[in-house]
Amino acid sequence: MKPIHDRLDLLNTFLRIAETGSLSKAANALGITQPTASRRLLELERLLGCKLALRTTASFSLTDEGRSLVVQARALSDGWASLSEHISGRRARPEGTLRVIGPPGYGTSLLTDVLTDLRIAWPQLRVELTLTNRVIDLVATGAECWVCVGEVHDPGLICRPLGEMERILVASPELLKRTGPVTLAKLPSLPCVGLNPYFVDTARLSDRHGNSQTVSIDTPLRTDSLLSSYRAILNGNGIGTAAPWMCQADLDAGNLKRVLPNLWLDPVRIQVALPPGLHRPARVTAFIEALCHRLNDMPGFKPAFI
């Protein structure tokens, strides 16, 4: 008879296979080979006496028994992990390797600072930070949390809203000398720096009383990079959007000017997406707490109260 920890390994492997829908992705996330993942699935099927998945070279799907097992196995896995941390006293000590994914615009500054805070507080903690603007398969990457600016469209992830970041319009003094005073009516005819998907084609601007108006914008230069768009604004390529934390120093130094100062763009939501499951390692909890602390100190951020 196999020891209980071996059977838990089988269940955890099955869960990762079910979540990723792929033996190879599951193996990569677990740090094992694909043949090992396949053997563990076959062994679990043998122990339970039923087929859990239907797989061919072109497709993969769970059987009814497999779908039923996912729910029960996840509860068992979470319960064992929580019990293990409680008995050993590890919950208060973040350790292991924290794997975080986030956008480059916020990652090169905010997330790097947050992870530095964590490493100072918990020197034994190891961290891996991946920066990308692409939509990712969080479970397949093996990362434990994904810091998202904007919406998350994967219904399989658990999303925790952290708050919203204010956005304003700014431009270089050199550009404003060429365009003259900027009005809402004039804005559609002026060059803007587009930022996909947050500032392209149209922009909705609101005053402090909630009155809003949507206008067309012309973006002869557009990018999906927050850092690139901000550089283009500084270079005088057009009017663009920026969060106060990013542009305040340049506003104070006179490198940028606020455009339409009584109007604001819709704020962007900042949230953390987590893999499914109830158990959260102490390192993930510590990261989210440190992230909230840093965000709350940033100008223009309004925290979510949940």
Side-chain angles (χ1 to χ4, degrees):
M1 179 178 291
K2 283 184 172 291
I4 185 65
H5 72 267
D6 285 346
R7 295 192 179 189
L8 285 170
D9 285 343
L10 298 181
L11 284 175
N12 285 329
T13 301
F14 168 72
L15 279 175
R16 192 51 62 94
I17 293 171
E19 290 166 351
T20 61
S22 165
L23 284 168
S24 60
K25 289 181 180 179
N28 182 63
L30 292 167
I32 60 177
T33 65
Q34 181 173 333
T36 298
S38 181
R39 284 196 299 271
R40 288 183 183 180
L41 178 58
L42 290 171
E43 177 65 10
L44 185 60
E45 290 177 331
R46 186 189 68 78
L47 286 171
L48 296 176
C50 63
K51 200 76 172 173
L52 299 174
L54 302 175
R55 51 200 181 278
T56 67
T57 55
S59 65
F60 179 93
S61 62
L62 295 178
T63 63
D64 289 342
E65 292 80 5
R67 285 188 290 271
S68 177
L69 180 60
V70 166
V71 177
Q72 299 176 59
R74 185 171 290 149
L76 179 60
S77 177
D78 288 345
W80 174 258
S82 296
L83 177 63
S84 176
E85 284 195 347
H86 175 73
I87 295 300
S88 64
R90 287 185 288 123
R91 181 169 295 279
R93 300 197 304 272
E95 52 192 22
T97 300
L98 172 70
R99 296 178 176 87
V100 178
I101 297 177
Y106 281 72
T108 54
S109 53
L110 171 65
L111 297 185
T112 301
D113 290 344
V114 170
L115 294 175
T116 300
D117 293 341
L118 276 183
R119 288 276 299 121
I120 292 173
W122 306 101
Q124 75 279 11
L125 183 65
R126 304 179 70 86
V127 296
E128 294 180 8
L129 174 62
T130 300
L131 301 180
T132 178
N133 284 322
R134 297 193 301 272
V135 175
I136 54 99
D137 184 339
L138 180 60
V139 175
T141 65
E144 294 171 307
C145 44
W146 176 21
V147 179
C148 304
V149 178
E151 300 301 320
V152 177
H153 300 289
D154 186 342
L157 299 178
I158 298 172
C159 292
R160 174 178 171 177
L162 303 181
E164 294 182 330
M165 182 60 71
E166 181 181 283
R167 296 186 301 151
I168 60 177
L169 291 178
V170 294
S172 70
E174 292 74 21
L175 177 72
L176 295 177
K177 286 179 183 178
R178 299 196 302 268
T179 64
V182 178
T183 64
L184 197 58
K186 190 178 176 182
L187 186 60
S189 65
L190 300 177
C192 292
V193 176
L195 177 60
N196 291 321
Y198 309 104
F199 187 64
V200 290
D201 301 326
T202 62
R204 188 170 76 164
L205 292 151
S206 304
D207 61 25
R208 284 301 190 194
H209 304 290
N211 303 309
S212 63
Q213 183 172 340
T214 300
V215 297
S216 299
I217 55 173
D218 178 28
T219 55
L221 188 159
R222 64 171 64 179
T223 175
D224 66 350
S225 166
L226 178 64
L227 299 178
S228 178
S229 71
Y230 189 69
R231 184 72 176 182
I233 296 167
L234 285 169
N235 288 345
N237 282 278
I239 299 167
T241 175
W245 67 267
M246 190 173 207
C247 66
Q248 192 59 57
D250 283 313
L251 288 172
D252 294 341
N255 299 322
L256 290 175
K257 299 291 185 183
R258 177 89 184 262
V259 174
L260 301 175
N262 295 318
L263 297 175
W264 288 260
L265 292 158
D266 289 343
V268 291
R269 180 180 298 181
I270 299 178
Q271 49 193 332
V272 173
L274 305 167
L278 298 177
H279 174 66
R280 298 283 169 254
R283 58 182 175 269
V284 173
T285 301
F287 168 73
I288 294 175
E289 291 174 351
L291 176 58
C292 289
H293 180 76
R294 281 276 180 175
L295 281 170
N296 291 340
D297 288 339
M298 295 176 73
F301 180 73
K302 181 180 180 182
F305 296 97
I306 57 173

